[in-house]
Structure formats: structure tokens, C-alpha cells
Amino acid sequence: MTERTLIIVKPDSMSKRVGGKVLNALESCGLQMVACKMLQLSRPSAEDFYGEHKGKEFYEPLVAFMSSNPCIVTVWEGAGAIKKAREVIGATDPAQAKDDTIRKMYATDNRHNAVHGSDSFKSAEREIAFFFNHEEIFPWQEKIYKK
Ligand code: UDP
Ligand code: MG
């Protein structure tokens, strides 16, 4: 089933200048980017976005990290996009992530872990609407450009 998923290139990737590589890994797994913007999350926005984790010991430092520097927020489309992106992203903790996953290659630790990907259809719907209006998303169309 064609799905959409919300991917954030987190501030650590931007600081390490591997944002392009993170996006490249998602393109390489066959997903199509259909929306993109660079922004810096405010503290309240980061708190709201990660509201499901409120009360956990890592919530405050996570919010501080996510609002510390700019990030790239994107929407990707494709068959089984949510699961596919989570597979290429890898485990939350890079020490547990499989080889060739984004987090294995580019994350620093289980907080500064390079990228966010929606974990379910419901989360994806909420997270996409959190950042994008309908007009800011450009549905995928088959277009093959040849030399
Ligand atoms: N996180 C953290 N410490 C932890 C677990 C998670 O700082 O012990 C951060 C990390 O940046 C992670 C985010 O909180 O990506 C959301 O956690 P979640 O368990 O939802 O992981 P994800 O879905 O991103 O793999
Ligand atoms: Mg999560």
C-alpha cells in the first residue's frame, strides 16, 4: 500500500554535515521525497511533537537537543513507506543498529541519533500534519528523465 511517512534529519546530522547522506539513504531504498523544509523547532514545538514521551527521563534532554539547531523536515512516499523507512533508519540506539542503517552509519548515541521516522500510520498522519499543509506536499508521479 502506498503510504507517507515523516522523516526529520535531526540537528546532529546537520552539525556533522551528513544531512545529504541521510536523505540519500532514503532515496536509495526506493522512497520518493514529496515535501521538504528546513526549520528550527521551538522548545514548545519540540515538546508537543514528542508529547508521547513526556515524563520519561530522556524527555527534557531530547526536547533541548531537538530545538538546539535547525533540522530538515521531510515527507516520503512509497509502498510500505513507514516500515521501509524505519528499516533503513535502524534501531534507536546506534550500538544496537544493524550495519548499513542510517543510525549505524551516522548517529552518535541513542539521543543524537541522526534521524526521526514515523512509527505507525497514525503517527505518520499526525506528524505530517504537524509540519505541512496540503499544498506543501507534492504527490509522487512517475516521471522518467532520460539523457
Ligand atoms: N531517546 C533518548 N534516550 C533514550 C531513548 C530515546 O534520548 O533512552 C531519544 C532519541 O532521539 C529517540 C527519541 O528520543 O530517537 C524518541 O524515542 P523513541 O523511543 O520513540 O525512538 P525512535 O522511534 O526515534 O527510534
Ligand atoms: Mg518513536
Side-chain angles (χ1 to χ4, degrees):
M1 197 179 82
T2 300
E3 296 173 342
R4 287 179 182 170
T5 190
L6 190 280
I7 301 289
I8 304 176
V9 181
K10 291 186 177 182
D12 58 322
S13 294
M14 303 299 284
S15 302
K16 289 158 89 172
R17 298 195 282 276
V18 295
K21 291 183 193 296
V22 171
L23 298 175
N24 181 244
L26 290 155
E27 287 188 324
S28 296
C29 80
L31 295 175
Q32 179 71 35
M33 191 195 289
V34 295
C36 179
K37 59 174 83 164
M38 182 170 171
L39 55 85
Q40 183 160 354
L41 280 167
S42 65
R43 249 196 102 81
S45 292
E47 286 171 356
D48 189 3
F49 184 79
Y50 279 113
E52 67 171 304
H53 295 299
K54 198 175 170 124
K56 296 181 186 169
E57 37 72 38
F58 65 81
Y59 178 69
E60 277 305 322
L62 169 64
V63 165
F65 160 58
M66 288 300 295
S67 56
S68 65
N69 269 304
C71 56
I72 300 175
V73 187
T74 58
V75 180
W76 296 74
E77 190 172 283
I82 297 163
K83 187 161 174 269
K84 208 178 222 183
R86 293 278 294 189
E87 279 169 8
V88 74
I89 286 171
T92 308
D93 183 349
Q96 312 292 325
K98 290 185 186 153
D99 285 351
D100 299 327
T101 59
I102 293 171
R103 283 172 170 165
K104 181 73 173 190
M105 292 188 285
Y106 307 119
T108 299
D109 55 41
N110 73 343
R111 176 165 309 122
H112 310 95
N113 59 1
V115 64
H116 166 86
S118 305
D119 66 2
S120 65
F121 183 76
K122 211 173 152 209
S123 303
E125 270 196 333
R126 171 188 169 266
E127 292 173 0
I128 291 167
F130 190 96
F131 289 108
F132 293 95
N133 298 322
H134 190 67
E135 313 81 65
E136 295 174 311
I137 302 175
F138 301 85
W140 184 82
Q141 286 172 0
E142 183 81 50
K143 286 179 189 156
I144 298 173
Y145 299 100
K146 288 183 180 164
K147 277 185 190 169

